[in-house]
Amino acid sequence: MSYDFINIEEKWQKYWSGNKVFKAYNNSTLPKYYVMDMFPYPSGAGLHVGHPLGYIASDIYSRFKRHKGFNVLHPQGYDSFGLPAEQYAIQTGRHPSETTKENILRYRKQLDRLGFSFDWSREIRTSNKDYYKWTQWMFIKLYNSWFDLKSNKARSIDELISVFEKNGNYELSASKNESSEEFNSKRWNSFSDQKKEKILLDYRMAFLSETEVNWCSKLGTVLANDEIIDGLSERGGYEVIRKKMTQWSIRISAYSDRLLSGLNDIDWPDPLKEMQRNWIGKSEGSLVKFDILNFDNQIEAFTTRPDTIYGVTFVTLAPEHSLVELITKGENKNSVNNYILESSKKTERDRMSDVKSISGVFTGAYALHPLTNNKIPIWISDYVLAGYGTGAVMAVPCGDQRDYNFANFFDLPIVNVFKDIDISKEAFKEKDNFVLTNSEELNGLDFKKGCLLALKKLEKLDKGSHEINYKLRDAVFSRQRYWGEPFPVYYRNNMPVMISEKYLPIELPDVDKYLPTEDGKPPLGNSSNWAWDTLNNIIVSNNLIDNEIVFRMELNTMPGWAGSSWYFNRYMDPTNKDEFASKKSLDYWKEVDLYIGGSEHATGHLLYSRFWQYFLYDLGLVPVKDYAKKLINQGMILGNSAFVYRLNGTNTYISKELINRQHVQLIHVDIRYVNSNDELDLESLRKWQPQFKEAKFEFENDKFFVKREVEKMSKSKYNVVSPDEICEKYGADTLRLYEMFLGPIDQAKPWNTAGITGTFSFLKKFWNLFHENENFNVVIDKPSSESLKILHKTIKKVNKDIENFSFNTSVSAFMICVNSLSAIKCNNRSVLESLTVLLSPFAPHICEEIWSKLGHKETISFVKYPEYNSDYIKEDNIEYPVSFNGKLKFKLIQESSLVIDQIKQNVISDQRTNNFLDGREIKKIIIVPGKIINIVC
RNA sequence: GCUUCGGUGGCGGAAUUGGUAGACGCGCUGGAUUCAAAAUCCAGUUCUGUAAAGAGUGUGGGUUCGAUUCCCACCCGAAGUACCA
């Protein structure tokens, strides 16, 4: 009987889903374990072999935990709102919900084929109204909250209102938008409702404000910072400019500190934590206040180097700084305005590529040095970023290279505050190896002491304060797109009003066109039924808008990260109609124990979702702060692209070695037409694309070779390998094993189909262990000690490897095990049974088949996982000396204690140790519990 | 520039706290089986050398009886980030 993987896999996949084998229950006496994958975006292209890598790893771990007696939750769903579906809708006119459904169906089919143990009864889709109802609900919660800096948590807006009513906002310490207005309770109570609303909006966790946004006109929408790469849009690579727009934002910056310190408590990969730390960008320093000559206003500048305060020779403002207009005087007005205009025209990309050129203009105004009262000029320059710190810099040319360059370029004075340090060529940027000079009372101090004293002086004069600054910006939450969650918001008197939770979900309306309207309104502006009737509490026709009962709705939709920021909680109770998840289910599952996904989400989804969970936690809606205890980033599987060389301007292609400095272009060709020797099948190529039909080819030795290169797998590069082809040819079990065998889970690695024969023949050998001459043949006898040794070595290694997520080495261990067992022709039932259970997380179909052939009725998935017994392995007790330092150390292979005489004998008979002993006598033997033996001589 | 991670055969990659470097797989070579091929099985495969032997984990130093592993300097690669004051 040969290994018929096609039938076996089909049979068991049917069995598993038919019997709901992997359904997880919210009440169980078993300990819980929650394994989650980052849910996919169902794109039109389908899966390639790179996609399932993480799913296979998480599936192995889930199955392993099931064997270990855990109640495992292993769900899957779809992040189904998003731009690609909408782009497709724009091009074809088909409704995104239609194409999304199709794509999901195809994804599901492909996933099912790999034998995953997902509990599909818990599937969720972010674009389902039953789901986004709760996304909208949470948005309302954000809107109705403010952030209290004293208790460092989000609180209900009602509490803020009562604070205002009692004390005004003088004593309040809250995270808010820049608004200078201060009021006492009396004034607050005298404000109109609209005015109150306006003020409250500055404090809400979700707020509307005019902010500078990244506008991508090609995509017709704003983008978050993490959606921009090298100044171009991540999707499409289009130009992005800065633009002021009224937008919803989420006050994620309030959580900077907690998001940063929370990293210490979670088991996430270090590089990823580091990325989040950089993105949050904490820096500690001082806020320095500069009076302005002839004005009442002050310029606040953030600096990390208050010790160099005496080196300040000018102040630079960002062109967008709010004081620029006020302080610019007559003759400077023109040049300043021109400069502002020009820098606002620059795209992100221009600004970035323009880093080296120096530009700026003098405002004509002067600031006063806070300690010396010297007059120092105020300049503007776009090297100062409006979005960071206060948008103002106290320029210290001697200590900062940009200030240095700027001062030299515009011939501004430079004061050297570093004793005996040469700054004639460049600024001195170090924080060590200097003492201060030219700095009055700071003279002779180093960085640390200088900072302390400078700050103390500034504080005394009320000219400065200690300040911590973060790079993390509030997240823009509006998208001018169709395929996203609608806001549960209508506008009354131009102020946003939340629709009551009772009437959720606010369903996405149908539109004819998915592009923004011509007057720049988002696509929802194309809907004729997008108004809110406050009497009946329903969506009605736009014609009925009277601004008394019927009001216009918010036209923007939420960004992609809204739905993905809390989905892990929904899996716990996915069909709940009354809550996003019941308290009982939340308390039972608590958090994700293992989360697997790509590191490309480090500063997007993985930061937003942490924030979102913190927020829910503050409101007492979830029981844990951080939702994922452990996270693993799977590396990408790369494609092995093939190229042909085309002579420039011709339709002639030349084989790889014939280039000889001719001018050529590289053209991707489909890797299916290239064999493992990089030879191209020209006949198939000619049929593939018309340009090759009549093309000329120059051969070397009658063969045509292509150039190979490893790059990302993508349809457009013609290097995609589909899991379906592999399943057809070798089966899902082989694919699963091979993907794990390819290398460490977290490393990027190129796909190479040729290598798969190794894991395929391993499975055949495994199958043959149970079969002899076409018959299933295992015997019940006493297992040989040799077979037990082989088995238990493997059990030990595999258990350890799975716990360490070192799946590639456990596959190796299986291969060694099967080879060794077949070498000694072992067909002992108990040994092979244990091996089958051991292998089943990796190759579930074949193991399930064999399990049933062994006469078991239950599915293999819940059988107790084999544990190793050291008694079977013990043998060579001493390996070799470990270290020699007056003492000799021996490493033991087994923990079992040893007879001292045996050690002595071994030591003396071993030639290597004999050399070390050099004739000396063994005085004392110390056995250390940690497997090490010290021999003193 | 800064931060982080990495550099081991023809290739993907193994190697516990420093202890026989190259497990396992691919590829390659030879052999068996076959009319032949596929498949399968056996043997070999770091490099130099016929061999004996020697060299060898990016480079150069150091610690150590012993270094892929620890320390210092440098080179190269990948990822992230960047007028961040």
Side-chain angles (χ1 to χ4, degrees):
Chain A
M1 201 183 287
S2 62
Y3 169 41
D4 178 8
F5 53 87
I6 300 235
N7 283 321
I8 292 173
E9 292 179 358
E10 217 185 284
K11 172 179 162 191
W12 289 106
Q13 281 163 17
K14 240 185 223 159
Y15 179 87
W16 292 330
S17 74
N19 292 281
K20 298 196 171 60
V21 170
F22 302 115
K23 195 167 160 52
Y25 295 92
N26 281 4
N27 44 358
S28 165
T29 50
L30 300 173
K32 69 100 190 182
Y33 203 88
Y34 185 177
V35 181
M36 190 173 81
D37 296 291
M38 285 186 189
F39 61 169
Y41 174 82
S43 80
L47 292 178
H48 61 65
V49 287
H51 291 116
L53 182 73
Y55 305 153
I56 294 170
S58 67
D59 196 61
I60 288 171
Y61 203 75
S62 310
R63 287 175 178 271
F64 171 72
K65 280 289 177 185
R66 248 180 223 114
H67 285 295
K68 287 274 181 185
F70 286 84
N71 181 30
V72 173
L73 173 55
H74 186 39
Q76 187 59 289
Y78 304 96
D79 189 12
S80 44
F81 268 139
L83 201 53
E86 180 166 324
Q87 292 287 84
Y88 190 72
I90 290 168
Q91 284 158 20
T92 61
R94 295 187 61 198
H95 197 284
S97 76
E98 219 179 287
T99 53
T100 301
K101 251 181 218 151
E102 283 173 19
N103 291 341
I104 286 180
L105 217 67
R106 181 165 59 241
Y107 260 66
R108 177 65 191 274
K109 231 176 166 173
Q110 287 188 295
L111 289 173
D112 279 350
R113 213 169 167 181
L114 295 170
F116 292 130
S117 61
F118 292 128
D119 175 2
W120 283 109
S121 72
R122 291 175 186 253
E123 181 202 290
I124 56 176
R125 302 178 185 186
T126 54
S127 61
N128 270 6
K129 58 178 196 256
D130 295 343
Y131 181 87
Y132 69 68
K133 170 184 178 176
W134 298 107
T135 312
Q136 292 173 336
W137 183 83
M138 287 172 189
F139 174 78
I140 296 174
K141 289 273 176 260
L142 283 160
Y143 179 82
N144 285 326
S145 305
W146 63 292
F147 195 86
D148 179 3
L149 290 171
K150 268 188 201 134
S151 57
N152 202 15
K153 59 182 274 201
R155 296 168 64 178
S156 158
I157 200 83
D158 295 334
E159 294 177 42
L160 183 68
I161 295 172
S162 58
V163 170
F164 285 171
E165 283 167 352
K166 273 183 215 138
N167 307 316
N169 68 355
Y170 284 113
E171 309 231 312
L172 188 72
S173 184
S175 182
K176 59 171 174 130
N177 299 348
E178 211 184 293
S179 83
S180 46
E181 192 165 12
E182 294 194 328
F183 49 81
N184 56 22
S185 58
K186 208 170 165 190
R187 271 193 68 206
W188 169 261
N189 292 322
S190 72
F191 288 150
S192 70
D193 285 352
Q194 199 181 346
K195 172 112 194 195
K196 281 180 182 168
E197 267 310 310
K198 220 171 205 155
I199 289 169
L200 285 174
L201 205 48
D202 283 334
Y203 289 85
R204 296 179 188 274
M205 290 298 298
F207 59 95
L208 208 50
S209 74
E210 178 157 272
T211 44
E212 187 138 297
V213 296
N214 309 301
W215 173 256
C216 179
S217 52
K218 268 274 164 56
L219 293 172
T221 188
V222 300
L223 297 172
N225 285 341
D226 67 280
E227 291 170 309
I228 299 167
I229 292 167
D230 294 334
L232 299 174
S233 69
E234 183 184 21
R235 204 165 273 286
Y238 303 121
E239 196 170 77
V240 177
I241 60 165
R242 289 165 300 129
K243 188 176 171 182
K244 282 214 162 175
M245 280 178 87
T246 301
Q247 298 283 325
W248 284 103
S249 293
I250 302 287
R251 204 178 297 285
I252 186 173
S253 64
Y255 283 90
S256 300
D257 188 39
R258 279 169 66 188
L259 287 169
L260 189 67
S261 58
L263 287 173
N264 299 329
D265 305 327
I266 46 179
D267 184 6
W268 287 21
D270 285 328
L272 190 134
K273 286 190 186 180
E274 201 54 37
M275 276 159 76
Q276 292 208 344
R277 283 193 193 105
N278 286 337
W279 193 261
I280 295 167
K282 180 176 179 168
S283 57
E284 210 168 339
S286 308
L287 200 64
V288 183
K289 293 178 191 165
F290 291 85
D291 291 327
I292 309 171
L293 196 65
N294 299 329
F295 290 94
D296 293 336
N297 307 60
Q298 282 183 323
I299 292 171
E300 295 189 331
F302 175 75
T303 178
T304 54
R305 297 296 303 271
D307 58 316
T308 61
I309 184 86
Y310 285 98
V312 177
T313 53
F314 57 103
V315 167
T316 321
L317 305 179
E320 300 90 344
H321 197 278
S322 56
L323 287 174
V324 172
E325 208 188 316
L326 179 77
I327 61 170
T328 307
K329 289 180 193 162
E331 70 265 31
N332 300 91
K333 203 113 205 169
N334 258 344
S335 57
V336 168
N337 284 345
N338 282 340
Y339 187 79
I340 293 171
L341 193 70
E342 251 171 63
S343 65
S344 73
K345 267 198 233 153
K346 277 189 191 171
T347 64
E348 279 292 313
R349 199 179 169 78
D350 288 342
R351 199 166 159 152
M352 284 171 76
S353 59
D354 215 20
V355 167
K356 278 175 199 98
S357 68
I358 297 163
S359 69
V361 284
F362 178 48
T363 61
Y366 289 89
L368 297 172
H369 191 284
L371 300 181
T372 64
N373 261 338
N374 287 343
K375 246 173 74 174
I376 51 180
I378 302 172
W379 284 65
I380 64 171
S381 171
D382 63 6
Y383 85 80
V384 180
L385 301 174
Y388 183 75
T390 57
V393 169
M394 59 169 233
V396 185
C398 67
D400 183 287
Q401 194 58 43
R402 289 154 308 172
D403 297 345
Y404 184 89
N405 295 344
F406 197 83
N408 276 332
F409 191 83
F410 290 107
D411 219 8
L412 294 160
I414 298 174
V415 174
N416 189 359
V417 296
F418 304 113
K419 194 168 186 206
D420 301 331
I421 283 168
D422 177 27
I423 56 154
S424 61
K425 297 247 163 56
E426 54 177 5
F428 179 74
K429 287 152 286 189
E430 289 175 44
K431 288 185 174 178
D432 311 300
N433 308 323
F434 72 88
V435 292
L436 291 162
T437 184
N438 290 329
S439 296
E440 308 283 329
E441 67 279 5
L442 303 184
N443 284 345
L445 299 180
D446 60 10
F447 166 69
K448 225 172 165 180
K449 285 180 183 150
C451 285
L452 274 173
L453 188 62
L455 183 61
K456 216 168 155 188
K457 267 212 102 180
L458 288 166
E459 273 175 340
K460 215 171 176 181
L461 297 164
D462 195 25
K463 291 280 167 60
S465 55
H466 177 249
E467 176 101 355
I468 293 168
N469 213 330
Y470 298 94
K471 277 197 277 184
L472 186 64
R473 302 266 67 89
D474 286 332
V476 176
F477 201 65
S478 305
R479 292 300 125 94
Q480 293 68 39
R481 292 177 189 164
Y482 173 72
W483 193 231
E485 299 87 348
F487 284 85
V489 173
Y490 65 90
Y491 286 86
R492 187 200 291 250
N493 296 328
N494 277 327
M495 290 302 289
V497 184
M498 292 295 128
I499 291 169
S500 164
E501 290 168 11
K502 279 184 285 201
Y503 308 115
L504 298 180
I506 301 303
E507 286 186 45
L508 190 62
D510 277 332
V511 297
D512 306 327
K513 290 189 222 135
Y514 305 102
L515 269 176
T517 61
E518 263 135 56
D519 52 352
K521 274 189 197 160
L524 288 190
N526 290 324
S527 171
S528 49
N529 287 303
W530 199 233
W532 186 250
D533 178 340
T534 54
L535 206 62
N536 301 307
N537 292 307
I538 46 168
I539 294 282
V540 293
S541 162
N542 296 353
N543 297 332
L544 300 172
I545 294 178
D546 57 8
N547 286 319
E548 292 189 357
I549 292 170
V550 179
F551 299 92
R552 69 180 175 93
M553 289 285 292
E554 168 71 59
L555 297 180
N556 288 301
T557 55
M558 298 186 199
W561 55 270
S564 60
S565 287
W566 66 278
Y567 72 113
F568 32 86
N569 290 317
R570 184 66 177 172
Y571 281 136
M572 299 174 187
D573 193 8
T575 53
N576 197 324
K577 292 239 186 298
D578 308 315
E579 297 164 279
F580 70 90
S582 70
K583 187 168 183 321
K584 209 180 137 203
S585 64
L586 285 161
D587 284 340
Y588 178 71
W589 293 109
K590 285 196 179 71
E591 79 258 269
V592 177
D593 293 285
L594 175 66
Y595 191 17
I596 297 189
S599 60
E600 66 271 21
H601 298 107
T603 53
H605 159 64
L606 287 173
L607 196 60
Y608 295 132
S609 51
R610 285 185 63 219
F611 150 75
W612 201 284
Q613 179 81 355
Y614 281 9
F615 171 73
L616 295 179
Y617 178 79
D618 282 355
L619 265 53
L621 296 168
V622 293
V624 289
K625 273 184 262 190
D626 265 294
Y627 69 89
K629 250 193 215 165
K630 182 172 178 66
L631 182 113
I632 289 184
N633 292 128
Q634 90 276 24
M636 226 189 303
I637 291 188
L638 304 163
N640 203 348
S641 303
F643 299 87
V644 289
Y645 291 102
R646 180 170 70 190
L647 287 174
N648 272 5
T650 69
N651 199 21
T652 302
Y653 300 85
I654 56 174
S655 187
K656 190 179 159 191
E657 298 299 324
L658 303 174
I659 319 172
N660 256 339
R661 275 188 235 144
Q662 301 179 80
H663 291 283
V664 288
Q665 269 175 298
L666 282 171
I667 315 273
H668 273 104
V669 293
D670 198 314
I671 50 162
R672 283 178 298 177
Y673 309 136
V674 181
N675 72 10
S676 54
N677 296 327
D678 297 355
E679 258 176 75
L680 187 62
D681 174 2
L682 286 184
E683 236 169 88
S684 311
L685 185 78
R686 284 186 198 273
K687 281 184 211 147
W688 179 47
Q689 279 182 347
Q691 54 166 322
F692 295 113
K693 205 168 173 188
E694 304 294 324
K696 264 195 231 155
F697 292 92
E698 287 182 18
F699 298 86
E700 46 185 309
N701 306 327
D702 294 334
K703 285 174 179 168
F704 194 95
F705 295 99
V706 297
K707 180 186 161 60
R708 288 283 200 165
E709 208 165 279
V710 171
E711 37 178 16
K712 219 170 150 173
M713 240 186 227
S714 132
K715 224 177 171 180
S716 64
K717 298 188 171 96
Y718 304 108
N719 60 0
V720 170
V721 181
S722 144
D724 301 331
E725 340 169 356
I726 305 289
C727 284
E728 244 153 72
K729 217 165 160 193
Y730 303 101
D733 284 338
T734 299
L735 177 64
R736 290 169 64 112
L737 279 166
Y738 186 54
E739 292 219 359
M740 290 302 102
F741 183 65
L742 228 39
I745 186 77
D746 52 358
Q747 231 163 72
K749 50 218 161 236
W751 177 265
N752 171 19
T753 305
I756 203 167
T757 53
T759 47
F760 186 51
S761 62
F762 157 73
L763 280 182
K764 282 189 283 187
K765 277 184 216 160
F766 173 70
W767 179 262
N768 288 338
L769 280 179
F770 298 84
H771 295 88
E772 202 181 343
N773 303 327
E774 304 287 303
N775 293 315
F776 193 75
N777 179 33
V778 289
V779 297
I780 302 176
D781 60 2
K782 193 168 174 280
S784 69
S785 66
E786 204 177 355
S787 65
L788 283 171
K789 191 174 157 192
I790 293 165
L791 175 70
H792 282 266
K793 264 188 173 167
T794 313
I795 293 174
K796 187 183 181 191
K797 174 121 182 83
V798 169
N799 268 289
K800 203 172 154 195
D801 282 350
I802 295 179
E803 289 291 8
N804 295 329
F805 304 96
S806 175
F807 298 126
N808 55 331
T809 51
S810 36
V811 177
S812 297
F814 280 123
M815 288 174 168
I816 295 167
C817 180
V818 166
N819 282 340
S820 314
L821 288 180
S822 53
I824 62 168
K825 298 204 163 50
C826 168
N827 65 346
N828 171 271
R829 187 184 160 104
S830 71
V831 169
L832 294 185
E833 209 171 66
S834 298
L835 176 62
T836 307
V837 180
L838 197 66
L839 181 63
S840 78
F842 293 82
H845 308 89
I846 189 175
C847 292
E848 191 86 79
E849 174 73 10
I850 281 172
W851 192 247
S852 79
K853 282 187 161 200
L854 284 166
H856 297 286
K857 293 258 158 21
E858 83 275 41
T859 143
I860 196 171
S861 312
F862 298 88
V863 175
K864 194 173 176 303
Y865 212 56
E867 270 170 46
Y868 96 102
N869 183 339
S870 59
D871 293 344
Y872 295 126
I873 309 180
K874 69 175 159 197
E875 201 187 31
D876 322 314
N877 281 313
I878 293 190
E879 223 174 16
Y880 27 75
V882 172
S883 119
F884 182 67
N885 216 344
K887 294 177 193 168
L888 249 187
K889 283 187 179 178
F890 287 83
K891 190 161 86 173
L892 294 185
I893 290 177
Q894 285 311 307
E895 290 96 340
S896 56
S897 58
L898 277 178
V899 185
I900 305 250
D901 284 344
Q902 197 193 336
I903 298 174
K904 268 190 187 166
Q905 236 168 39
N906 270 312
V907 170
I908 291 162
S909 63
D910 188 311
Q911 207 188 338
R912 285 167 308 204
T913 44
N914 226 340
N915 286 342
F916 291 125
L917 287 173
D918 201 18
R920 282 175 290 187
E921 213 183 315
I922 295 172
K923 283 182 188 157
K924 200 178 172 189
I925 294 181
I926 310 157
I927 300 180
V928 182
K931 286 197 221 176
I932 289 193
I933 298 181
N934 290 335
I935 296 181
V936 183
C937 42

